[in-house]
């Protein structure tokens, strides 16, 4: 179970570089990626959105989760073959809302996280749209939640918009929830995001070696071995990036950036979790109150770029901070 008690820890600046420092070429060598032509196809329970060299695959039979986000055929996400906890999914926030105990709640609502979604026919814009079955929220009597995920190609930006719409299909209950995207990536990478307000905090049982550091105006986590579950909480500036061991920059961004006062109780705008087998990079949006029949939409833009050869891939790298800024503007 993942507990949410947190405490401030002094930050430090590591000098450890990833194995690809100074030599990362982005999985595609010197070839610049292209994002056309665009196509959307379905094969069994899998739907694929292809933008030239960029590909996203979602599985309607597994919570509509994203199982592949790849460039030049290199997937940035942990796969089911690699670990039983894999891909990218959506949870309602806060975690304490999942069970009547109000703390240490696990697992997330199955209908949203791992159940079967219904797929709409692919439209002329090549959008893929999946909808969950209804699920109650254990802490709210009479509640019923339905989640729609729509995947929208944006070839002009070399991006895919993932739009999550949570609906309260109850006829009488009101719920207060925030959106939460959880993406599992391989260890030995480098996570970073814009630095917001306040200190970084950690679950009380996090490994003492697990730390998020400051540098170049951003916050950084250089993946390192841990002996047990460890988690950090921080305010960000709306985006979250991961440099993979294959030399790709995986970047997600949501707008508007949720401010600390808008975040669900016990949560944070950016959360980073690891258990030594994989790393979870997590974005959260603003808390919203939904009356019967109301819905809340939250969009996260996904991008994937090669890290140019010669880029310094270390925590606090000005080169990487500049690359993220450039990629965000595209």
């Amino acid at each position: 179970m993942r507990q949410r008690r947190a405490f401030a820890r002094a930050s430090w600046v590591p000098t450890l570089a990833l194995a690809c420092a100074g030599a990362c070429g982005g999985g595609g060598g010197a070839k610049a990626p292209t994002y056309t032509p665009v196509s959307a196809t379905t094969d069994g329970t899998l739907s694929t959105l292809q933008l030239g060299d960029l590909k996203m695959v979602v599985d309607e039979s597994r919570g509509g989760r994203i199982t592949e986000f790849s460039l030049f055929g290199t997937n940035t996400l942990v796969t089911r073959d690699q670990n039983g906890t894999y891909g990218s999914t959506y949870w309602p926030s806060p975690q304490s809302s999942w069970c009547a105990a109000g703390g240490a709640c696990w697992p997330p609502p199955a209908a949203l996280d791992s159940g079967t979604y219904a797929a709409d026919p692919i439209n002329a814009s090549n959008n893929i749209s999946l909808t969950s079955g209804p699920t109650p929220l254990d802490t709210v009597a009479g509640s019923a939640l339905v989640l729609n995920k729509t995947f929208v190609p944006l070839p002009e930006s070399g991006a895919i918009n993932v739009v999550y719409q949570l609906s309260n299909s109850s006829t009488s209950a009101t719920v207060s929830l925030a959106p939460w995207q959880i993406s599992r990536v391989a260890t030995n990478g480098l996570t970073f995001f814009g630095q917001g307000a306040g200190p970084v905090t950690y679950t009380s049982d996090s490994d003492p070696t697990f730390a998020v550091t400051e540098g170049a105006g951003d916050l950084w986590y250089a993946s390192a071995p841990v002996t047990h579950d460890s988690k950090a909480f921080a305010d960000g500036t709306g985006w979250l990036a991961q440099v993979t061991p294959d030399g790709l920059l995986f970047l997600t961004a949501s707008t508007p950036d949720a401010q600390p006062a808008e975040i669900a109780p016990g949560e944070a705008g950016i959360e980073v979790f690891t258990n030594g087998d994989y790393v979870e990079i997590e974005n959260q949006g603003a808390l919203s109150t939904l009356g019967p029949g109301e819905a809340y939409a939250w969009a996260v833009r996904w991008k994937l770029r090669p890290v140019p050869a010669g880029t310094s891939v270390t925590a606090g790298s000005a080169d990487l901070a500049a690359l993220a800024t450039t990629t965000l503007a595209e």
Side-chain angles (χ1 to χ4, degrees):
M1 294 183 182
R2 300 182 187 174
Q3 302 198 359
R4 296 300 178 145
R5 296 188 308 275
F7 63 94
R9 177 184 298 176
S11 60
W12 51 277
V13 179
T15 58
L16 177 66
L18 299 186
C20 62
C24 290
K31 178 181 181 292
T34 61
Y35 304 107
T36 56
V38 176
S39 65
T41 57
T42 299
D43 182 9
T45 65
L46 300 179
S47 294
T48 299
L49 192 54
Q50 187 90 40
L51 286 72
D53 297 311
L54 185 69
K55 181 166 73 170
M56 178 178 281
V57 180
V58 296
D59 188 348
E60 65 191 65
S61 71
R62 300 280 174 177
R65 74 180 56 192
I66 302 167
T67 59
E68 179 180 342
F69 189 52
S70 62
L71 187 67
F72 304 120
T74 300
N75 191 2
T76 63
L77 300 174
V78 171
T79 67
R80 192 180 181 192
D81 291 339
Q82 294 169 319
N83 196 289
T85 303
Y86 66 98
S88 182
T89 188
Y90 173 104
W91 295 339
S93 174
Q95 184 174 352
S96 59
S97 69
W98 301 348
C99 65
C105 301
W106 192 259
L112 306 185
D113 176 61
S114 58
T116 299
Y117 278 53
D120 291 342
I122 294 172
N123 63 22
S125 298
N126 288 307
N127 294 350
I128 295 170
S129 181
L130 308 176
T131 304
S132 76
T135 184
L137 196 64
D138 285 353
T139 53
V140 181
S143 59
L145 304 176
V146 173
L147 179 64
N148 174 268
K149 301 180 182 183
T150 301
F151 306 90
V152 182
L154 300 171
E156 67 281 3
S157 298
I160 296 172
N161 262 10
V162 181
V163 183
Y164 303 98
Q165 180 168 291
L166 187 69
S167 300
N168 178 6
S169 60
S170 164
T171 58
S172 59
T174 296
V175 297
S176 292
L177 296 169
W180 188 358
Q181 178 181 272
I182 304 93
S183 302
R184 287 84 179 221
V185 296
T187 56
N188 300 319
L190 179 64
T191 305
F192 66 108
F193 50 94
Q195 184 172 10
V200 178
T201 60
Y202 302 80
T203 50
S204 58
D205 57 350
S206 289
D207 191 301
T209 65
F210 175 71
V212 173
T213 67
E214 300 179 23
D218 296 329
L219 293 173
W220 307 76
Y221 168 59
S223 178
V226 296
T227 59
H228 52 270
D229 290 3
S230 301
K231 187 153 193 175
F233 303 80
D235 179 43
T237 57
W239 61 272
L240 176 59
Q242 178 77 10
V243 180
T244 73
D246 302 300
L248 295 175
L249 176 72
F250 169 34
L251 188 148
T252 63
S254 60
T255 52
D257 173 35
Q259 300 304 301
E262 299 174 308
I263 298 298
E267 304 290 349
I270 300 291
E271 300 182 4
V272 180
F273 168 86
T274 187
N275 58 6
D277 293 330
Y278 57 87
V279 174
E280 286 183 351
I281 54 175
E282 309 174 10
N283 319 56
Q284 291 204 23
L287 187 72
S288 181
T289 298
L290 301 178
E294 294 183 336
Y296 175 76
W298 182 60
V300 183
R301 184 162 296 186
W302 287 47
K303 295 181 179 180
L304 194 55
R305 300 290 188 268
V307 174
T311 299
S312 173
V313 183
T314 58
S317 167
D319 290 345
L320 282 177
L323 179 61
T325 298
T326 300
T327 303
L328 282 166
E330 293 174 345

